[in-house]
Amino acid sequence: MSKDMDFPTTGDESLRNKVFKYIKSQIITGIYGPGETLLEAKLAEELGVSRTPIREAMHLLELEGLIETSAKKGSAVLGITPKDVQDIYVIRQLVEGLAASWAAERLTTAEIRELQKIFDLMEFYAQKQDFEEVTELDNQFHQIIYDASGSKILKITLGNLHQYVQLARLESLKTHERMPETIKEHHALLDALVARDSDAAEKAMSLHAKNACSHIVSHLTTDAK
C-alpha cells in the first residue's frame, strides 16, 4: 500500500474517516482485489496509525458492502460486482438524465463553449487511443453538466455513484468498440444541450448511461470467466 497520505497520529474521528476513505479507494480502484484479506495489524503498521481507527474504518467498509468480516477468515474484500454496477447504472440513467434535462435549460454560453472544447479534445484523443485522457475529459464534460443542473444534492449523489465504477469505466473505454460509441453518444448529448432541448438531452444522457452499463457489465462478466 502507498503511504503518500499524511495520516495524523491521533485516534479521533477525522483520522478514522481518512483511513476509511483511503482503504475504500484502494478497494474501488482494484488495488485490493476481491477475496483479498485485510489485516488490521498490517494496515496499522503500513499507515503508521493505531489499530483503533483501522478497526473503525473496517466497520464502515463492511456497512458499505465492500468487505465481509468473519471470526475465522477476518476481513475479506468483496469489491464491486457486475450486479452492483448494473444497480449503479440504473440509478445513473435516472439521475443523470434529470441532470442533463436541467442543464439544457440552465447552461451558460461560456459553459456550452467549454463543453464543445472538451468534446473536440475527446475526439482528438480518441483517435490517438489515449484512453486515460478521454476518461479525464469525459469526467470534465459530465461535471459541467452536473454543475449546470443547479442541484447540490444531485451532484453529491452522482459523485458517490461514480467512485464505485471508475475502474470499470476506464477498463471499458480501453476496448476499441466502446470508444467510437462513447464519442457518438457525447455528440448527440452536446447537440441536445446546444439546442436547449431538455427532453432530447435527458434521452441522450440516459441512453449513454444505459449503453455504458451494458458494455461494462459484459466486460466484467467476460473477465470473470
Side-chain angles (χ1 to χ4, degrees), residues 168-185:
R169 288 177 62 234
L170 177 58
E171 293 302 315
S172 172
L173 277 175
K174 287 183 179 179
T175 57
H176 296 290
E177 67 271 18
R178 179 57 189 157
M179 184 72 77
E181 294 174 1
T182 298
I183 298 301
K184 183 178 179 181
E185 290 159 11

Side-chain angles (χ1 to χ4, degrees), residues 78-222:
L78 296 177
I80 306 299
T81 69
K83 175 62 166 59
D84 294 332
V85 172
Q86 284 182 310
D87 291 345
I88 288 168
Y89 270 89
V90 167
I91 298 170
R92 276 190 61 183
Q93 282 181 244
L94 299 174
V95 181
E96 288 201 9
L98 181 60
S101 176
W102 287 348
E105 301 171 354
R106 301 168 184 173
L107 279 163
T108 66
T109 300
E111 287 171 329
I112 289 178
R113 283 199 298 265
E114 186 63 20
L115 286 174
Q116 291 172 323
K117 176 183 176 181
I118 292 172
F119 176 75
D120 289 342
L121 287 172
M122 286 181 68
E123 283 191 309
F124 173 78
Y125 284 108
Q127 291 174 357
K128 291 182 172 293
Q129 298 294 301
D130 190 332
F131 307 108
E132 284 78 7
E133 191 64 33
V134 172
T135 300
E136 176 58 31
L137 289 165
D138 177 69
N139 290 335
Q140 295 176 23
F141 189 94
H142 284 258
Q143 190 60 52
I144 290 174
I145 294 173
Y146 305 156
D147 290 341
S149 74
S151 172
K152 178 179 68 176
I153 303 302
L154 183 148
K155 286 170 59 179
I156 292 172
T157 301
L158 287 171
N160 289 334
L161 292 174
H162 282 176
Q163 66 178 326
Y164 285 103
V165 292
Q166 57 181 311
L167 180 63
R169 288 177 62 234
L170 177 58
E171 293 302 315
S172 172
L173 277 175
K174 287 183 179 179
T175 57
H176 296 290
E177 67 271 18
R178 179 57 189 157
M179 184 72 77
E181 294 174 1
T182 298
I183 298 301
K184 183 178 179 181
E185 290 159 11
H186 278 80
H187 196 179
L189 175 58
L190 179 59
D191 285 347
L193 293 171
V194 170
R196 307 286 185 178
D197 189 331
S198 58
D199 288 340
E202 182 174 2
K203 290 178 182 177
M205 181 69 94
S206 295
L207 179 62
H208 173 55
K210 180 180 179 180
N211 290 343
C213 175
S214 297
H215 192 80
I216 288 174
V217 171
S218 175
H219 182 80
L220 291 173
T221 303
T222 300

Side-chain angles (χ1 to χ4, degrees), residues 43-100:
L43 288 170
E45 181 180 356
E46 290 179 343
L47 298 179
V49 299
S50 71
R51 293 180 65 169
T52 299
I54 299 292
R55 189 176 303 112
E56 293 171 343
M58 301 287 246
H59 177 64
L60 294 176
L61 291 167
E62 186 169 22
L63 290 177
E64 291 207 5
L66 292 174
I67 67 172
E68 184 176 51
T69 302
S70 67
K72 293 183 178 180
K73 297 182 179 181
S75 298
V77 175
L78 296 177
I80 306 299
T81 69
K83 175 62 166 59
D84 294 332
V85 172
Q86 284 182 310
D87 291 345
I88 288 168
Y89 270 89
V90 167
I91 298 170
R92 276 190 61 183
Q93 282 181 244
L94 299 174
V95 181
E96 288 201 9
L98 181 60

